[in-house]
Amino acid sequence: MDERKLSKLKSIFWEMNDISSVLETHTDVETKEEIDKDGKKVVTTTTTVTKILHITVTHLTADEMAERYGFSQEQKDNLHELLSEENNELWSAVLSGVGSFDTDIVNVAVNQLGNVGGEPYWSWYGFSSRVEWCACFVSWCENECGYIETGLAPMYSVVDTGVEWFKSRGQWLDGSEYPRPGMIIFFDWAYDGLDGSGDHTGIVEKVESGYVYTIEGNSSDACRECTYSIGHNEILGYGYIK
């Protein structure tokens, strides 16, 4: 990738995408009458200016760009092949540097489906009584694969501790990206305001037809398989094991 190619990519990007904005301004004037301590009427006026910035992002589709650049039918066929769902993992590897997936931890997690109460996981972690055990479950599965001992994955009982471990090592994908089996998934639940903090964690089992399938501990106090659309707003991100 040299400067000429980089410049060409930038040019194509801005041909494909357009960003526009409109600033909306509202002025509200409030008049208030009060009687001061001397019995005189005092009138005060308060002016409030509210500014709202509306940003609109529009883009052309891949097919529209192909028409603009005069693609041949063969080029269009190749484009559709590259953009097919079966190649999502390829693009995940190219764009995010994630080139492998982990079936060992998935197999361990699958064998735990149906457990209720989580005692094997929170007691292994060292707790003497039940705690919120989703992170203990993930850590237990990592340990069964030998990842904690070798430093490949974190041992954590607090969700945000796991998030920070993966982020600090550059082993992190944003929640909008395409995950791979064996990744550790982290959630930020909407009920507490999507505040950017980790609320729950699990293991990616598989990705099919636009959905990510997970195995989660402490899902209604059990080990359960759950399903989310890729890019779901409550998916905070993914940690991956190198």
Side-chain angles (χ1 to χ4, degrees):
M1 176 65 69
D2 56 26
E3 286 299 321
R4 182 183 63 81
K5 292 179 179 178
L6 182 61
S7 176
K8 188 172 183 179
L9 280 176
K10 287 181 179 179
S11 175
I12 292 172
F13 176 86
W14 287 114
E15 281 189 56
M16 191 172 185
N17 299 277
D18 180 70
I19 301 176
S20 59
S21 63
V22 175
L23 182 63
E24 181 181 341
T25 303
H26 299 279
T27 302
D28 295 313
V29 179
E30 181 182 2
T31 301
K32 187 176 182 180
E33 295 185 358
E34 296 180 315
I35 304 299
D36 66 12
K37 63 181 180 180
D38 298 323
K40 296 180 179 180
K41 183 171 68 173
V42 177
V43 179
T44 58
T45 301
T46 303
T47 302
T48 303
V49 178
T50 303
K51 295 183 178 181
I52 303 173
L53 180 63
H54 299 273
I55 299 175
T56 303
V57 180
T58 58
H59 69 275
L60 299 178
T61 66
D63 285 332
E64 288 171 331
M65 289 297 290
E67 289 295 333
R68 174 172 293 195
Y69 286 122
F71 276 28
S72 66
Q73 187 57 52
E74 182 181 3
Q75 288 174 315
K76 291 178 181 179
D77 291 341
N78 291 337
L79 176 64
H80 291 155
E81 176 66 24
L82 286 171
L83 295 179
S84 64
E85 185 172 317
E86 65 186 29
N87 285 319
N88 283 342
E89 289 189 2
L90 167 67
W91 292 117
S92 177
V94 171
L95 298 175
S96 305
V98 182
S100 62
F101 56 89
D102 180 6
T103 57
D104 290 343
I105 196 170
V106 173
N107 292 335
V108 169
V110 166
N111 288 330
Q112 303 306 306
L113 287 171
N115 177 280
V116 176
E119 182 175 5
Y121 321 115
W122 52 255
S123 62
W124 163 82
Y125 201 96
F127 293 104
S128 58
S129 60
R130 185 192 180 282
V131 295
E132 299 300 324
W133 51 275
C134 61
C136 294
F137 168 71
V138 172
S139 295
W140 183 90
C141 292
E142 292 171 342
N143 188 67
E144 288 294 295
C145 296
Y147 298 154
I148 293 176
E149 182 180 3
T150 54
L152 294 176
M155 180 175 176
Y156 63 105
S157 62
V158 177
V159 175
D160 269 337
T161 301
V163 171
E164 290 306 315
W165 192 96
F166 285 108
K167 283 186 174 182
S168 68
R169 288 161 175 77
Q171 296 170 220
W172 180 260
L173 291 183
D174 185 76
S176 63
E177 298 196 52
Y178 190 93
R180 307 195 74 175
M183 287 186 175
I184 310 303
I185 186 170
F186 294 91
F187 299 92
D188 176 12
W189 295 139
Y191 75 85
D192 66 358
L194 294 173
D195 57 8
S197 296
D199 295 317
H200 184 61
T201 185
I203 297 168
V204 175
E205 178 187 9
K206 59 184 178 180
V207 183
E208 291 180 355
S209 303
Y211 291 90
V212 52
Y213 293 79
T214 64
I215 300 173
E216 301 167 24
N218 200 29
S219 176
S220 300
D221 202 33
C223 289
R224 299 174 59 236
E225 184 184 62
C226 304
T227 309
Y228 308 86
S229 58
I230 293 175
H232 190 280
N233 69 322
E234 292 182 307
I235 299 177
L236 181 64
Y238 306 91
Y240 57 89
I241 299 166
K242 287 186 176 179

